[in-house]
Amino acid sequence: MSKLIIANWKMNGSIEQIEHDLSIYAKSIYTNNPSVVLALPNIYLYIASQIKNKLGAKFSLAAQDVSEFANYGAYTGEVSATMLKGLGTKYLIIGHSERRTYLNETDDSLLNKIDNTLNEKITPIFCIGEPKDIRENAKYIDFLQNQLEILLKVKSSFDNLVIAYEPIWAIGTGVVPTSEQISEVLKLIKAFVQNYLPHAKITVLYGGSVSGVNASEILNLPEVNGVLVGGASLKPDNFISICTY
Ligand code: PGA
């Protein structure tokens, strides 16, 4: 199985950039591939799926967030999983630390988001990761285990699940954990799923300051099934160099 490489554009990009970058990605053998995933701002998914269809491109599209409310209703400003499904969204990022911090996302809302996403047959990319102080006082295993426990409350059935380990101290900082630190947590995630959700087929990602320089070392670790890339996904040259791992 080829590794999953996800570009998380966060709140960046424009229609022009999407037209430009997607036409490059459609032509490159490294990116014109369903396991290369572009997580664009939700507002751009419609145009991106039209461009993708026009180019006959094979990369996948992801949304960066979804409403905790299901289907349709009186929730001004919200976008449901049902709406995102209609745009060809294959994956959906849930629980990114930036949203947990700046948008005060709670475990209950994350759980609703996961259920709504699964009900639409979209694969959630559930993000976990500890802050620096928790890493430093060696409480990170309990902290991460606690974040994973939400998955035990999911009501919808699921076979496929993507979990991204993104230590908060590595996001956007240029600081990357050692290979041992990454492997330790990814093994923990896999053991958790094997013990408690044995039916699930799991893909485990690392995210946080992944770049063209460190991608191949990270992606060649046996536990790593892929990467979630923020800053380095905003320039096609950088992103393609990650995809050539
Ligand atoms: P970064 O972001 O690659 O810019 O560190 C990763 C992420 O937040 O998904």
Side-chain angles (χ1 to χ4, degrees), residues 99-151:
R99 295 197 58 84
R100 292 181 193 250
T101 305
Y102 306 132
L103 285 302
N104 300 318
E105 288 193 329
T106 62
D107 284 359
D108 285 345
S109 76
L110 296 180
L111 184 57
N112 290 334
K113 289 176 183 213
I114 295 173
D115 270 318
N116 294 341
T117 299
L118 290 167
N119 285 339
E120 295 298 339
K121 308 267 179 293
I122 300 175
T123 304
I125 300 165
F126 180 58
C127 300
I128 63 168
E130 79 285 358
K132 192 159 182 266
D133 57 325
I134 301 276
R135 165 61 65 168
E136 282 169 356
N137 67 22
K139 298 253 175 63
Y140 60 98
I141 298 284
D142 287 348
F143 184 92
L144 294 167
Q145 188 103 14
N146 203 34
Q147 286 188 321
L148 286 171
E149 278 169 16
I150 291 187
L151 297 173

Side-chain angles (χ1 to χ4, degrees), residues 19-80:
E19 282 168 345
H20 173 262
D21 292 11
L22 269 52
S23 67
I24 294 176
Y25 294 147
K27 283 189 214 116
S28 163
I29 52 160
Y30 298 109
T31 48
N32 194 22
N33 174 331
S35 44
V36 169
V37 182
L38 306 176
L40 306 174
N42 291 2
I43 185 79
Y44 294 138
L45 286 170
Y46 177 67
I47 185 107
S49 74
Q50 287 202 320
I51 294 171
K52 181 187 160 190
N53 291 343
K54 200 169 99 196
L55 296 169
K58 298 201 192 80
F59 48 72
S60 305
L61 296 175
Q64 294 180 11
D65 182 42
V66 65
S67 177
E68 64 175 295
F69 302 106
N71 307 321
Y72 303 96
Y75 305 107
T76 303
E78 290 294 273
V79 176
S80 68

Side-chain angles (χ1 to χ4, degrees), residues 103-225:
L103 285 302
N104 300 318
E105 288 193 329
T106 62
D107 284 359
D108 285 345
S109 76
L110 296 180
L111 184 57
N112 290 334
K113 289 176 183 213
I114 295 173
D115 270 318
N116 294 341
T117 299
L118 290 167
N119 285 339
E120 295 298 339
K121 308 267 179 293
I122 300 175
T123 304
I125 300 165
F126 180 58
C127 300
I128 63 168
E130 79 285 358
K132 192 159 182 266
D133 57 325
I134 301 276
R135 165 61 65 168
E136 282 169 356
N137 67 22
K139 298 253 175 63
Y140 60 98
I141 298 284
D142 287 348
F143 184 92
L144 294 167
Q145 188 103 14
N146 203 34
Q147 286 188 321
L148 286 171
E149 278 169 16
I150 291 187
L151 297 173
L152 306 181
K153 298 189 191 150
V154 170
K155 290 186 229 64
S156 324
S157 66
F158 61 91
D159 309 317
N160 289 318
L161 188 61
V162 181
I163 300 178
Y165 171 52
E166 296 208 302
I168 296 173
W169 45 277
I171 295 178
T173 57
V175 178
V176 181
T178 62
S179 298
E180 291 70 30
Q181 287 174 318
I182 295 175
S183 297
E184 181 194 33
V185 174
L186 269 52
K187 279 185 193 153
L188 169 97
I189 296 171
K190 289 187 176 181
F192 179 93
V193 173
Q194 218 158 44
N195 280 338
Y196 298 109
L197 303 162
H199 61 281
K201 192 170 151 274
I202 185 185
T203 301
V204 186
L205 314 180
Y206 167 76
S209 295
V210 174
S211 69
V213 175
N214 58 33
S216 83
E217 187 179 341
I218 296 171
L219 280 160
N220 284 306
L221 294 172
E223 293 77 23
V224 173
N225 305 130

